[in-house]
Amino acid sequence: DTEVTQTPKHLVMGMTNKKSLKCEQHMGHRAMYWYKQKAKKPPELMFVYSYEKLSINESVPSRFSPECPNSSLLNLHLHALQPEDSALYLCASSQESLAGGYTDTQYFGPGTRLTVL
Amino acid sequence: TQLLEQSPQFLSIQEGENLTVYCNSSSVFSSLQWYRQEPGEGPVLLVTVVTGGEVKKLKRLTFQFGDARKDSSLHITAAQPGDTGLYLCAGPVSGTYKYIFGTGTRLKVLA
């Protein structure tokens, strides 16, 4: 099973709303990722969790707040977003590479299409 | 800084034609992955190549990893409309949990 699930599939929110995106994987992967993807562009890394600890924050604005409650779950809490934050948000997970400690093949979820009004 | 350049950026071909997409870097990668992505969906993994010179086949798709592990190619034989999509190469940044993506190739196969 190489499945990563994401909910919701679509989300429309106002600039004053608080919402959360959820991601789940049961592959035993210890690294989990959030990406943002704008139309016709490659995904851009936002956050990396390794062994449930935040490993990388790519200078993401504080209105995005990640959380890793356990090794299978990853959340992205959203608050006071701007219209330019509208995008496809992708979750991914990976094992450590054979070299140890670093990422190998990443498996992506279907994404959440976020629209900020 | 590790970068992945893909070419061509766009490709529009007739059903039944063959095509090759290239993914090039000046850096060595421990592995490279190829994904296909449809609009509004997440990237779907097609293949991982690990060994320099490796060739992998997935039905009508043939993937090759360069001998020096700096480049890769994807060849599609007898393209079909179902092959339409965005093709992305990607690979791990050495010594980190980061993963970089190529610039993408948007393929359209016309019936």
Side-chain angles (χ1 to χ4, degrees):
Chain A
D1 181 15
T2 56
E3 189 179 27
V4 177
T5 59
Q6 288 187 244
T7 55
K9 179 72 172 170
H10 302 278
L11 179 62
V12 179
M13 61 187 289
M15 290 189 285
T16 58
N17 292 159
K18 286 186 181 181
K19 297 286 184 183
S20 296
L21 309 184
K22 297 185 183 303
C23 173
E24 190 166 5
Q25 57 89 13
H26 294 288
M27 295 178 277
H29 291 171
R30 302 313 298 267
M32 296 185 75
Y33 310 77
W34 280 115
Y35 288 85
K36 174 182 178 180
Q37 187 177 24
K38 290 287 214 180
K40 302 183 180 181
K41 297 287 187 182
E44 298 174 15
L45 183 65
M46 299 175 71
F47 302 103
V48 180
Y49 272 82
S50 169
Y51 289 87
E52 297 144 59
K53 294 192 186 314
L54 185 63
S55 176
I56 296 174
N57 175 342
E58 290 286 270
S59 302
V60 178
S62 60
R63 57 185 183 269
F64 295 91
S65 176
E67 178 196 20
C68 190
N70 60 56
S71 60
S72 300
L73 293 174
L74 187 66
N75 298 322
L76 185 62
H77 302 298
L78 314 173
H79 175 55
L81 294 193
Q82 304 297 310
E84 59 264 29
D85 296 322
S86 298
L88 181 67
Y89 288 83
L90 296 164
C91 174
S93 71
S94 72
Q95 294 176 322
E96 290 184 322
S97 73
L98 293 176
Y102 310 119
T103 191
D104 200 344
T105 301
Q106 295 197 359
Y107 296 88
F108 286 83
T112 294
R113 169 69 62 190
L114 175 66
T115 302
V116 182
L117 301 176
Chain B
T1 303
Q2 289 177 280
L3 295 172
L4 287 169
E5 296 282 344
Q6 282 184 241
S7 62
Q9 276 189 286
F10 304 97
L11 197 52
S12 181
I13 61 172
Q14 293 293 324
E15 183 176 4
E17 293 184 3
N18 301 333
L19 66 116
T20 302
V21 177
Y22 299 94
C23 175
N24 296 306
S25 177
S26 58
S27 305
V28 175
F29 282 83
S30 59
S31 67
L32 281 178
Q33 287 73 36
W34 285 92
Y35 296 86
R36 180 170 67 221
Q37 185 177 24
E38 310 224 6
E41 300 290 332
V44 175
L45 179 69
L46 297 174
V47 78
T48 293
V49 286
V50 179
T51 305
E54 181 177 9
V55 176
K56 283 191 172 179
K57 293 195 174 184
L58 183 67
K59 298 183 180 177
R60 294 177 293 100
L61 278 59
T62 302
F63 304 86
Q64 188 161 7
F65 201 13
D67 291 341
R69 292 185 289 130
K70 292 183 178 181
D71 54 85
S72 181
S73 64
L74 157 60
H75 182 78
I76 301 179
T77 303
Q80 298 178 359
D83 296 326
T84 293
L86 175 66
Y87 288 82
L88 293 161
C89 65
V93 177
S94 176
T96 77
Y97 274 98
K98 287 189 179 183
Y99 205 63
I100 63 169
F101 284 87
T103 45
T105 295
R106 195 163 296 277
L107 171 65
K108 187 168 186 177
V109 182
L110 304 169

